[in-house]
Amino acid sequence: MPTSVNSKNKGTSTASKKDAAAGPTEETPLLLQSGDGANDLAESIHVESSTPVSLPEDGNASDKDKPLPVGQIIALCYARWVEPVAFFSIFPYINQMAQENGHLADADVGFYSGLIESLFSLTQMLVMILWGRAADRFGRKPVLVFSLVGVSFATALFGTATTIAQMICYRCLAGLFAGTIVTIRTMISEHSTPKTQARAFSWFAFTGNLGILFGPLIGGALAQPATQYPSLFKGVKFFERYPYALPSLAVGLIGLSAVAVTTIFVEETLVLRTKKKTALEDVPSAAALEDGLSASALDDELSAAAKLQKLSTLELIKSPGVPIVLYAYGHIMLLAFSYTAIVPVFWFTKVSLGGFGFTPLQISMLMGLTGLSQAIWILLIFPALHRRIGTNGVLRACGAAYPFFFALCPVFNMLLREGSEVGVTTFWVVAPALLCLGCGVSMSFTAIQLALNDVSPSPVTLGTLNAVALSVVSGVRSFAPALFASLFAVSAKTQWLWGYAIWVLMVAIALAYTVVSRYLPDYEELKRQRAREEAERVGLLQ
């Protein structure tokens, strides 16, 4: 691809070249990146009046060679840890808390505890796009800090609820501060490159798994302290009156520690247009001259970038490649939420009804084993596999594996239903190993985030696009767990298809995703297409 049609602008002053070689600062214009013609130029300029813009960290090296800022990623992952800890910490005690606060019959407890969690996810869905827009307009760090403060205080208040209405109110209040997860995802995306994003998001996913692990442990260990630890808390009126306040306060303090870490250590990934404007006025644009850009062409380029920032949410959703990736995101999350809702009940259900008949100890041991295997897949295997076969390759491999992974569950039950010593022995030899192998499908959770990054029309729209995707996730999470747990109960109770009807449904949904994964877009071609369109528009191509 030709870099210019205006060769007379190739000559640049020695001073300009020295400025370009000196390396960037916050005041260095984005155009001082070394580039390779129209592709680099169209992909690198993202400026909009009165809104934040991304700046490169290294103007001398290609963005693709920028090292991963490990310290920033660790700080963001610590902030990310708060969300799953806050979400899952109430699971061990929410049923008992709801029953005591609402004086509920045993048969009604599940409905109200499920309602509380569904409304939390529904609230997140309603406000997620607003937080994404705020992060795109005012910067990532202010939104992240403010959201962490809100989540911390709302979570701390939850344990002091004494009625069902208060439980719902405090949980929805925590859902209102949904800016944490969308902002962290966006900031990690902006800190990483195509070469480093797989490693960055594998850490992001691993941190989420740690939150899922530690959240229930905190909730279960600290609930009802006056009863569990009478030598320490018996006679303390506050904890006797509010038996579920201690775990909520503990999680709130963890959230405030994340506020401190974020405030002190996390760097803003956007700077305001005023700094960018000053830089463009004060520093000669050597790269622009070398690429043959006239002042009017540069103005056109900046105007085009501004239009990207002003895309409405609907226009963003309709951008090339975005609809299919958003759909795939929602489909993967449906598979994830439905499976995690079914599995605990499935493992506990009697063998004769289609389950495994596990004891609580066996369930916890197998959950720990599968959690460890997921961590291994995400941390150790995913980055190398992603380098080899790419984002779409990982998503398609997981799409091929999902139906077989779900089909294993009724097959394992058949071994136990047989009742023979050989069948039981085969189960214990084969089932744990194959379940750990099947946990490789968890790589799809990280890969679909990378697909979302790659399909974004511009870095300045990434916050909003992440918000749209997470709104979809929250919407799915608001109904999927209750729906699929109920469907499993109906399947087991009616013994339709020998109690395996739920797994037939799960395999069918997985096969649908297998088909969808074949139609994911070519992200590199999308980038080239956008670059060509911008280059043609400003006259860089003939």
Side-chain angles (χ1 to χ4, degrees), residues 280-317:
L280 286 174
E281 290 173 349
D282 294 345
V283 183
S285 181
L289 293 173
E290 290 180 356
D291 281 335
L293 280 178
S294 64
S296 61
L298 179 58
D299 290 340
D300 287 341
E301 191 66 48
L302 297 178
S303 176
K307 290 179 181 178
L308 282 173
Q309 174 68 27
K310 292 180 179 179
L311 286 176
S312 69
T313 301
L314 184 59
E315 290 172 331
L316 177 60
I317 293 173

Side-chain angles (χ1 to χ4, degrees), residues 20 39 44 49 101 118 138 142 169 186 283 317 348 373 457 471-472 479 492 539:
N39 276 348
S44 66
S49 59
N101 287 344
S118 294
F138 302 110
C169 179
T186 304
V283 183
I317 293 173
F348 179 78
S373 64
S471 296
V472 173
F479 73 86

Side-chain angles (χ1 to χ4, degrees), residues 29 32 48 60 65 221 340 342 408 422 437 447 459 483:
L32 256 81
E48 202 272 322
N60 294 326
D65 297 325
T340 54
I342 292 170
L408 286 175
V422 174
L437 184 64
L483 173 62

Side-chain angles (χ1 to χ4, degrees), residues 198-239:
R199 184 157 57 104
F201 277 97
S202 67
W203 293 356
F204 174 87
F206 177 69
T207 308
N209 287 338
L210 287 181
I212 295 171
L213 171 64
F214 283 100
L217 289 178
I218 293 170
L222 300 183
Q224 297 180 309
T227 303
Q228 290 200 74
Y229 313 106
S231 60
L232 293 175
F233 296 101
K234 190 173 183 179
V236 180
K237 292 184 178 179
F238 179 80
F239 291 119

Side-chain angles (χ1 to χ4, degrees), residues 249-461:
L249 290 172
V251 174
L253 288 175
I254 291 172
L256 290 178
S257 71
V259 172
V261 169
T262 302
T263 303
I264 297 170
F265 297 109
V266 170
E267 299 173 358
E268 176 60 82
T269 53
L270 299 179
V271 292
L272 295 179
R273 164 61 176 160
T274 53
K275 290 186 177 181
K276 173 63 66 176
K277 183 178 180 181
T278 301
L280 286 174
E281 290 173 349
D282 294 345
V283 183
S285 181
L289 293 173
E290 290 180 356
D291 281 335
L293 280 178
S294 64
S296 61
L298 179 58
D299 290 340
D300 287 341
E301 191 66 48
L302 297 178
S303 176
K307 290 179 181 178
L308 282 173
Q309 174 68 27
K310 292 180 179 179
L311 286 176
S312 69
T313 301
L314 184 59
E315 290 172 331
L316 177 60
I317 293 173
K318 291 181 177 180
S319 297
V322 171
I324 186 66
V325 171
L326 284 176
Y327 176 80
Y329 203 127
H331 203 136
I332 288 171
M333 292 301 107
L334 177 64
L335 294 173
F337 293 140
S338 58
Y339 180 75
T340 54
I342 292 170
V343 159
V345 187
F346 169 64
W347 287 351
F348 179 78
T349 301
K350 294 178 180 179
V351 173
S352 59
L353 295 178
F356 285 173
F358 281 175
T359 65
L361 177 60
Q362 289 172 325
I363 292 174
S364 62
M365 289 177 64
L366 195 59
M367 288 186 72
L369 181 63
T370 56
L372 177 62
S373 64
Q374 281 192 28
I376 292 173
W377 277 104
I378 291 172
L379 276 179
L380 303 181
I381 299 175
F382 173 74
L385 187 63
H386 181 266
R387 285 195 298 270
R388 186 174 182 84
I389 64 176
T391 300
N392 283 353
V394 173
L395 289 170
R396 287 164 184 161
C398 292
Y402 263 115
F404 293 100
F405 180 56
F406 292 154
L408 286 175
C409 294
V411 171
F412 290 152
N413 173 260
M414 292 177 188
L415 290 175
L416 294 176
R417 270 191 178 181
E418 182 186 335
S420 66
E421 185 176 344
V422 174
V424 174
T425 302
T426 303
F427 172 85
W428 284 109
V429 170
V430 175
L434 289 182
L435 283 175
C436 290
L437 184 64
C439 284
V441 298
S442 62
M443 292 188 296
S444 62
F445 311 150
T446 304
I448 194 62
Q449 175 63 48
L450 304 188
L452 197 71
N453 297 344
D454 291 339
V455 83
S456 177
S458 163
V460 294
T461 61

